[in-house]
Amino acid sequence: MNPETKLKVAAEEIKEVLRKHDLASIFSLHTPGHGEFVLHLNASHSCAYIYNDHEIRFHSKRKDYKSQEEQIQKLTNTANMLKLLCDMTANNFLMLKRLSDNFDKLTNAEHR
């Protein structure tokens, strides 16, 4: 199995676990020379969904909810999900960026 296919298969397996547990996630996978980034927002508590693989849309029509309170709760949950995923991704990026930069200096690594 080529590296790109390997990453896509692994990402699909992880997304299946996320669907099983009704979770949203952002994650990256790596194998030498290749990386895969996945944004999985399709949880039941979210009105966000991935459309055409590269577009995020929000669906929240009043007619699809039993009450206005239920609709507001889902909108609130979606806002919370996006904020927390964004904050955690930013923190992880800062930590990993420092680690990567320091490792490159230590090893004189060059990237193409």
Side-chain angles (χ1 to χ4, degrees):
M1 182 180 304
N2 73 48
E4 289 180 43
T5 302
K6 180 180 179 179
L7 292 174
K8 291 192 182 304
V9 168
E12 286 304 316
E13 290 178 11
I14 294 167
K15 287 194 288 187
E16 187 57 39
V17 170
L18 296 171
R19 285 187 286 270
K20 177 183 175 184
H21 295 283
D22 195 21
L23 300 170
S25 181
I26 295 175
F27 61 92
S28 299
L29 300 173
H30 171 265
T31 193
H34 300 277
E36 180 78 14
F37 172 80
V38 178
L39 176 62
H40 179 83
L41 303 177
N42 302 6
S44 67
H45 59 270
S46 168
C47 65
Y49 66 98
I50 307 298
Y51 181 80
N52 287 339
D53 291 333
H54 302 290
E55 187 177 333
I56 298 170
R57 291 193 177 180
F58 300 91
H59 181 79
S60 184
K61 294 184 179 180
R62 174 65 187 95
K63 69 180 180 89
D64 295 330
Y65 296 92
K66 294 176 187 170
S67 66
Q68 184 176 11
E69 291 77 20
E70 182 183 17
Q71 182 183 22
I72 290 169
Q73 184 61 56
K74 195 161 203 175
L75 292 167
T76 301
N77 290 344
T78 302
N80 176 258
M81 173 193 72
L82 293 170
K83 174 70 172 147
L84 287 173
L85 289 175
C86 182
D87 287 354
M88 288 184 297
T89 301
N91 287 336
N92 287 337
F93 167 79
L94 291 173
M95 179 183 61
L96 193 56
K97 175 74 171 130
R98 283 191 298 268
L99 181 62
S100 177
D101 289 348
N102 288 338
F103 193 79
D104 286 351
K105 286 178 189 173
L106 180 68
T107 63
N108 294 315
E110 293 183 16
H111 304 280
R112 296 176 249 173

